[in-house]
Amino acid sequence: MELLITARQTLKANPASTPHRRGSIALARIAIETTASQHPEFVGTRIDWRARFIALRTLTHPDHARKGYYLWSRCSNLIHYHPYRLIPDHTKIEHLLQQTQSWIETEQSHQVGYIR
Amino acid sequence: MCFLLGAEAITATAVGVLLVMDSTHCVIEALDQLASAGLDSEIEDVLLEYLPDRDGLASSEFGWSDVFIESIFARGYRGIADGQNLKLPPGPGLAFVVGLNGAGKSSFAEAAELALTGTTTRWDKAQKDARENWRNIVNPSKTLVRVELRETNGSVAKVERHWEENIELDQSQLSVKDNNGSATDRFNGLAEAVRQYPPLLADRALPKLTDGKLSELFDAFDPLLGLEDLDETQRNINSQVKEIRSATKLATGLKKEVLSLCESSTLPEILDLRSKVNDGSNAGKIYDDFHRQVPAIAVSQPVRQCLGLDPLDLEEVKHRLARIDETVAKVEDESRKGNQTLTRVADLLEQALQLQEDEQLTSCPVCETGQLNQEWRDKTAITLKTHRSLTAALKENQRLLQQELHQLQTLLEQTTKIGFSDDLPELEAASKQAQSLLRSISSRDSNLVDLFSDFELLDMQISETQTAAKRLVENNSEEFKPLLDLLDSWRKAQQKSDELSPTKRSHEKALTWIKSEITRQRSIRLEAINTQITNTWQKFSGSDDLKLDPLELTGSTNRRKVSLTCQTGGSEANARSIFSQGQLHALALSIFLPRATHKGSPFKFLLIDDPVQSFDEWKTDGLASVLEELAQTRQVVVFTHDERLPKAASLLGITASVINITRNEDAALTITKRKSAATQALKEAYIMSKDEQLSPDAKVNIVAVCCRAAIESYAIERYRHKANQQGTPIEEIESCIKQSEKSVWDKISLGLYCEIDRGTAQKVETSHGQEHRNLITTLNKKSHHDPQAAEVHDLYGRTRKTIDKLFTLNSQP
């Protein structure tokens, strides 16, 4: 969650700046990855990120897992430099961060009650 | 200069030279055709009357040419709050202005359209509620749009429109200023030039060509042919022909109505009217005659006679009565004086004188004493004369008396002879009064002067009777009012018909001629356009199994339609019904471009807003090719939210500038010139590495992401360049890039070896050094926040070195 706070601060510091927008998205993606990697089933493993989200579908609610994969993909897509891909404006990124926060909170609550 | 378009001109189109297609030339050509058509002078006169005067035609030369657009400025307009200037790459070339939905790019496109035309396709004809917020919501006051135009000779003009508060969109203040801010007439005729050769294509203009009725489609296509003035001429002649026909029809209809209304009447006057109408007599005369007859038909003979009575001149009557009384007195007086005795004495004296002369008597035969001498004769003659004079006066007075009496009687008899009428009872009283007076005069029981009051009474009665008679005429004439009104309408309609009818034939013939002339010119011009349409269409839709037939515009006025057919599978089909939306848009663009790029156009720029719309990737590629060709000689600016078009341009190796528009808080925009993905990533890595506000951990993560992306982008750009040079098909290139998506090493492998080699990490270490492999590994780990990553210092500097080592930093394709 700290990463997400930093992501927000980065965006807020310079909302018109493309690198800051992209940076905040990068931090959001890392926040998702960090949260997902803390799932008891993944601790100490080195699994591909796509595989982790597929696995999450069986470990937690499928819709929640799908949403996580969507957010992670969206962030990944945006931080890669495609020749003519347009970086979203600050309002869209804020919305993305909000969705990410919501997902992380849900994921963390799932992890707390998880029994292997 | 010859404007005749003959076979040579058509041949010229085949080699890509478009005909002159402005309205001025269509009129000149029509006038030339008319001069050699050998029409009757009457028909020629009609056409010359309606065609614009040759001398009055505006020159098609604007006095300025080769105009590029340097910038578009907007303030307080739609999505642009504070003043924003969109600088465009000068000169020929292709530029994409890209931005996400709502970023503000279309606001710039519209601002240019608004500055140049005074309106926009978006707002023109929009519903009232959709026009409400054309001003920016954050900054609605002092709205201003401006384009800066520059000729190749260096002349500059800033075309500006501004709106004070509470001013409607179409009430802008226009100003054209030179570089020093002074008003200039350098770009006179700008609006006309934009109308003839529209250099702008709004996003909403494309669907308009495909969704409407055929007549609307006709209206959209027809102006492209530049036949507006001839169309207008045809409309005007047609309107006159209609008016002539309608005047004749109206007159005939009213005539029938008149006959129908008269049908049931048995009045001789009405029967006479019918026969006159049937005989074709002059409507005006028929009306005038009948109008006069109405009072006579409306009332009985006594009433009509009553109206014809002369009023009594009471003063005259008074004098006459006095004279009669005076004469009567004289006659009576003379009578009293023994007028009869005097006459007999005079007769006797006359006989005595005659006897004395005849018998020569000397003494009186009665007394035998008196002497009948000369003295007796003189005395007797005097006496005789006196007697005769007295009797003559008496006779004269008697004659005068008779005369006066006769005149009075005549005066009264005009009333007594009228007779009676049941609908005018006042007439009987007057008549009786006149009879009573007649009797009194005849009897002369008393002085006639005493009868004057009776004459006064009679005069009053006659006056009242005449008033009643007039009222009666008025009331009874109401019956004939509908007929009179109808006659009046017919008279006027007939008059107009008579005036117009002589020109009917010449107008009809003129209409036929102008229609055929429009068809002829349209056919020639359309052929020229069709050649270009086909060429452009081929670029758009070479991949489709559709062959577009030449476009045809047929009909006119309210029977306008467009023939849009195509050949598919060996059969003809209606393009509108089988074309997809994307194909229709391609067709619309094919139609737009020939006119916008016409050699007569003074504009060297094209602004196209969102042309991709429903295109698939093939048509997008086709569009990129079309734009590339245009950009060889023109400044082509394309506004798009769709990355497919810039991407297609990139894939096809088309050089293009990209201008990014992003929206910030409070409707503020950021306009940046887009760099290549690799350069951009490296630049962002540098910016973030220098950001002092970022925490060290966050900075490492973000810089790692940017640096890794920079290496990936360099690798992919290098691969594209090399593969293109090797002639690898674009589909294969894109497929390989897609396969490399999941791994940074796969991308580096493509960039280095044009294939995906799983041993690339080792190869890099062997060929270029371990530090490069280590850096890439570190970037990869830190991009995913792997805590095990080492050597996170100076990621940016080390990345530059690695890129330089692997792909040669400063020689990127």
Side-chain angles (χ1 to χ4, degrees):
Chain A
M1 200 59 82
E2 258 180 51
L3 278 164
L4 212 52
I5 293 166
T6 312
R8 281 216 168 83
Q9 286 169 345
T10 305
L11 180 66
K12 200 175 177 185
N14 205 339
S17 153
T18 305
H20 284 80
R21 288 179 186 179
R22 209 186 304 269
S24 68
I25 298 168
L27 292 175
R29 189 184 73 155
I30 292 171
I32 294 169
E33 288 175 348
T34 307
T35 307
S37 65
Q38 285 166 356
H39 193 282
E41 294 288 353
F42 300 145
V43 173
T45 61
R46 294 182 64 80
I47 312 170
D48 177 71
W49 288 109
R50 286 177 187 78
R52 285 184 204 221
F53 283 107
I54 292 168
L56 263 184
R57 290 185 195 175
T58 57
L59 299 175
T60 180
H61 195 282
D63 286 346
H64 169 71
R66 257 192 296 273
K67 190 177 178 188
Y69 182 58
Y70 160 77
L71 290 168
W72 181 84
S73 299
R74 201 93 178 94
C75 292
S76 289
N77 198 280
L78 290 168
I79 58 174
H80 284 85
Y81 288 75
H82 300 279
Y84 296 101
R85 176 79 28 95
L86 299 162
I87 194 80
D89 62 33
H90 68 286
T91 53
K92 290 186 181 68
I93 297 172
E94 273 168 10
H95 180 64
L96 189 63
L97 296 179
Q98 182 57 45
Q99 284 183 306
T100 303
Q101 183 182 332
S102 168
W103 185 83
I104 288 172
E105 284 167 358
T106 308
E107 176 57 23
Q108 284 174 340
S109 69
H110 286 169
Q111 288 175 10
V112 168
Y114 185 79
I115 301 166
R116 293 187 77 170
Chain B
M1 190 172 182
C2 177
F3 296 102
L4 274 175
L5 303 173
E8 297 83 353
I10 297 168
T11 312
T13 63
V15 291
V17 180
L18 259 181
L19 295 171
V20 178
M21 288 197 296
D22 61 83
S23 213
T24 301
H25 295 99
C26 82
V27 174
I28 290 171
E29 198 198 337
L31 289 168
D32 288 342
Q33 283 289 320
L34 184 59
S36 58
L39 296 173
D40 287 355
S41 61
E42 281 180 13
I43 303 165
E44 204 172 277
D45 287 348
V46 170
L47 285 161
L48 289 173
E49 183 189 335
Y50 285 92
L51 279 166
D53 188 4
R54 189 191 289 257
D55 297 334
L57 289 173
S59 166
S60 65
E61 303 295 329
F62 294 102
W64 43 273
S65 59
D66 294 344
V67 173
F68 292 91
I69 184 164
E70 293 230 314
S71 64
I72 305 168
F73 177 88
R75 181 185 69 207
Y77 177 68
R78 288 202 61 212
I80 306 167
D82 300 325
Q84 289 281 353
N85 200 30
L86 176 65
K87 284 199 168 182
L88 298 167
L94 179 58
F96 295 115
V97 178
V98 296
L100 293 171
N101 291 337
K105 56 191 187 309
S106 284
S107 298
F108 278 114
E110 282 177 23
E113 188 183 6
L114 194 52
L116 291 170
T117 67
T119 185
T120 72
T121 313
R122 180 193 177 97
W123 303 106
D124 196 25
K125 294 177 187 168
Q127 295 296 313
K128 195 181 172 190
D129 66 318
R131 292 170 61 106
E132 274 175 9
N133 291 110
W134 59 275
R135 290 175 191 265
N136 182 269
I137 294 170
V138 178
N139 179 20
S141 62
K142 306 273 183 189
T143 302
L144 186 148
V145 295
R146 179 174 62 226
V147 292
E148 192 171 331
L149 304 176
R150 181 185 289 272
E151 282 182 275
T152 44
N153 67 8
S155 296
V156 170
K158 292 174 180 174
V159 181
E160 181 178 296
R161 287 179 193 272
H162 73 272
W163 294 259
E164 296 298 330
E165 280 186 65
N166 303 320
I167 295 297
E168 294 297 318
L169 180 77
D170 53 3
Q171 293 170 342
S172 59
Q173 294 287 315
L174 171 70
S175 66
V176 183
K177 293 175 183 166
D178 63 16
N179 225 3
N180 302 319
S182 309
T184 175
D185 57 1
R186 181 74 191 125
F187 286 88
N188 275 353
L190 184 68
E192 177 60 20
V194 172
R195 190 183 70 80
Q196 282 189 27
Y197 310 104
L200 318 115
L201 183 65
D203 56 347
R204 296 184 186 221
L206 280 178
K208 276 188 178 181
L209 290 168
T210 59
D211 298 339
K213 297 173 186 169
L214 280 176
S215 60
E216 289 170 349
L217 200 56
F218 182 104
D219 293 340
F221 282 117
D222 198 44
L224 299 175
L225 304 175
L227 295 170
E228 298 94 323
D229 282 348
L230 288 190
D231 287 339
E232 176 72 14
T233 303
Q234 184 195 329
R235 271 195 297 278
N236 290 340
I237 298 177
N238 193 39
S239 153
Q240 183 63 15
V241 167
K242 274 185 181 171
E243 195 178 335
I244 295 169
R245 286 176 183 162
S246 126
T248 310
K249 197 175 168 187
L250 180 66
T252 310
L254 287 169
K255 183 179 174 179
K256 279 183 185 166
E257 278 186 49
V258 168
L259 289 171
S260 164
L261 199 62
C262 297
E263 207 163 25
S264 55
S265 176
T266 52
L267 279 172
E269 290 85 353
I270 303 284
L271 291 174
D272 182 46
L273 175 76
R274 258 182 73 90
S275 101
K276 280 180 184 168
V277 172
N278 271 327
D279 289 350
S281 301
N282 182 282
K285 189 169 184 316
I286 292 175
Y287 172 81
D288 290 342
D289 290 348
F290 189 69
H291 190 259
R292 275 196 300 273
Q293 281 181 330
V294 164
I297 311 169
V299 291
S300 60
Q301 177 78 7
V303 179
R304 289 203 297 276
Q305 285 178 329
C306 170
L307 284 168
L309 283 177
D310 293 328
L312 291 178
D313 185 344
L314 288 173
E315 278 301 306
E316 180 62 31
V317 168
K318 199 173 184 178
H319 286 299
R320 203 177 289 282
L321 290 172
R323 270 203 305 278
I324 291 171
D325 280 346
E326 190 183 326
T327 310
V328 167
K330 279 181 185 170
V331 170
E332 283 175 353
D333 183 47
E334 279 159 7
S335 298
R336 270 197 304 276
K337 288 176 183 169
N339 187 279
Q340 274 185 329
T341 311
L342 283 173
T343 306
R344 290 176 69 187
V345 169
D347 291 346
L348 192 61
L349 288 174
E350 215 167 55
Q351 286 171 8
L353 282 169
Q354 193 60 48
L355 181 67
Q356 187 273 328
E357 193 177 330
D358 292 347
E359 301 297 331
Q360 290 296 312
L361 295 175
T362 54
S363 60
C364 173
V366 179
C367 68
E368 293 179 347
T369 56
Q371 292 297 305
L372 298 182
N373 53 15
Q374 191 56 43
E375 186 186 350
W376 169 81
R377 282 190 69 86
D378 291 344
K379 276 179 75 178
T380 303
I382 291 167
T383 307
L384 181 63
K385 193 177 177 184
T386 307
H387 280 39
R388 285 292 182 207
S389 169
L390 283 170
T391 53
L394 179 62
K395 277 181 184 169
E396 178 57 18
N397 280 332
Q398 283 172 333
R399 190 190 65 75
L400 282 174
L401 179 62
Q402 287 308 317
Q403 187 182 326
E404 292 289 343
L405 285 170
H406 179 72
Q407 283 182 4
L408 262 186
Q409 281 161 348
T410 306
L411 195 64
L412 292 167
E413 275 167 2
Q414 69 167 347
T415 308
T416 57
K417 285 179 181 170
I418 287 176
F420 303 142
S421 174
D422 290 342
D423 47 5
L424 192 63
E426 295 86 347
L427 190 57
E428 189 177 352
S431 183
K432 283 181 176 170
Q433 174 68 10
Q435 279 170 359
S436 160
L437 273 167
L438 264 178
R439 278 195 300 274
S440 300
I441 289 166
S442 302
S443 64
R444 290 202 304 276
D445 292 338
S446 59
N447 278 347
L448 292 192
V449 172
D450 298 336
L451 294 177
F452 181 70
S453 58
D454 292 337
F455 273 95
E456 281 182 321
L457 178 62
L458 176 64
D459 181 58
M460 202 171 68
Q461 284 174 325
I462 288 173
S463 175
E464 282 173 359
T465 308
Q466 283 185 324
T467 305
K470 277 179 192 166
R471 204 162 41 238
L472 199 60
V473 168
E474 231 167 68
N475 290 341
N476 290 4
S477 295
E478 280 295 309
E479 260 180 62
F480 297 91
K481 194 170 184 303
L483 180 57
L484 262 178
D485 287 348
L486 193 58
L487 277 172
D488 190 33
S489 302
W490 173 52
R491 171 184 68 142
K492 286 172 184 163
Q494 190 62 50
Q495 190 181 356
K496 189 173 179 189
S497 170
D498 291 346
E499 278 168 19
L500 295 175
S501 287
T503 63
K504 185 180 172 188
R505 184 187 153 276
S506 54
H507 274 83
E508 283 175 342
K509 294 274 181 190
L511 184 62
T512 307
W513 188 88
I514 197 78
K515 274 182 183 172
S516 70
E517 176 61 14
I518 289 172
T519 306
R520 191 187 68 80
Q521 285 200 32
R522 181 181 288 144
S523 163
I524 293 170
R525 289 173 182 226
L526 209 51
E527 193 169 340
I529 283 185
N530 271 324
T531 305
Q532 282 224 336
I533 290 173
T534 308
N535 291 342
T536 311
W537 170 259
Q538 278 301 317
K539 283 186 182 138
F540 274 125
S541 304
S543 58
D544 291 348
D545 178 27
L546 287 169
K547 186 176 175 296
L548 189 67
D549 290 333
L551 187 91
E552 283 180 38
L553 305 186
T554 54
S556 61
T557 58
N558 57 355
R559 283 196 289 275
R560 311 180 304 285
K561 63 178 182 178
V562 177
S563 167
L564 271 174
T565 57
C566 61
Q567 302 293 325
T568 180
S571 306
E572 185 180 289
N574 186 324
R576 285 223 310 172
S577 62
I578 70 159
F579 270 23
S580 69
Q581 198 68 9
Q583 286 166 331
L584 286 168
H585 285 179
L587 175 62
L589 273 166
S590 305
I591 293 290
F592 163 76
L593 293 174
R595 191 173 188 194
T597 57
H598 182 262
K599 64 177 182 178
S601 169
F603 302 112
K604 279 287 183 184
F605 68 87
L606 277 176
L607 303 180
I608 307 175
D609 190 14
D610 196 11
V612 179
Q613 298 196 9
S614 320
F615 283 178
D616 59 23
E617 61 180 310
W618 300 102
K619 284 199 175 45
T620 310
D621 290 352
L623 174 62
S625 299
V626 169
L627 297 174
E628 181 193 22
E629 193 178 318
L630 292 168
Q632 300 298 315
T633 53
R634 287 187 151 70
Q635 180 190 25
V636 181
V637 181
V638 178
F639 296 82
T640 182
H641 68 280
D642 198 319
E643 66 189 53
R644 286 178 298 159
L645 184 58
K647 193 173 175 183
S650 171
L651 287 175
L652 293 166
I654 296 168
T655 307
S657 313
V658 181
I659 298 165
N660 226 357
I661 297 184
T662 46
R663 173 167 297 279
N664 307 314
E665 290 168 306
D666 296 335
L669 304 185
T670 305
I671 301 170
T672 50
K673 194 170 176 185
R674 176 80 70 88
K675 297 173 175 63
S676 78
T679 314
Q680 181 71 18
L682 209 52
K683 184 185 166 193
E684 288 186 15
Y686 175 77
I687 292 170
M688 297 312 280
S689 71
K690 297 293 176 195
D691 190 325
E692 299 297 331
Q693 290 179 327
L694 275 175
S695 68
D697 277 352
K699 185 185 287 187
V700 166
N701 289 139
I702 292 171
V703 172
V705 164
C706 294
C707 287
R708 189 182 70 157
I711 292 171
E712 286 176 337
S713 298
Y714 267 96
I716 293 300
E717 282 173 15
R718 182 54 50 100
Y719 166 63
R720 272 211 179 94
H721 181 65
K722 286 202 287 193
N724 268 324
Q725 282 189 326
Q726 289 166 7
T728 311
I730 287 172
E731 296 79 19
E732 196 181 315
I733 295 172
E734 290 306 304
S735 170
C736 282
I737 293 172
K738 184 91 180 159
Q739 283 175 42
S740 73
E741 246 179 19
K742 292 178 185 173
S743 162
V744 64
W745 286 113
D746 286 354
K747 291 190 185 90
I748 293 168
S749 177
L750 278 180
L752 291 173
Y753 317 120
C754 286
E755 61 177 5
I756 295 174
D757 182 347
R758 301 293 175 200
T760 300
Q762 185 57 50
K763 280 185 180 177
V764 166
E765 184 179 332
T766 308
S767 307
H768 303 287
Q770 192 184 6
E771 69 270 27
H772 301 301
R773 180 180 181 174
N774 288 346
L775 172 74
I776 294 165
T777 305
T778 300
L779 294 177
N780 217 11
K781 285 183 174 176
K782 290 313 292 181
S783 294
H784 295 288
H785 199 48
D786 188 336
Q788 293 174 3
E791 295 185 82
V792 294
H793 70 280
D794 192 21
L795 289 176
Y796 169 72
R798 288 162 60 205
T799 299
R800 279 184 65 90
K801 281 180 191 164
T802 296
I803 291 172
D804 199 24
K805 187 74 180 175
L806 300 183
F807 306 114
T808 316
L809 187 64
N810 293 322
S811 66
Q812 63 166 295

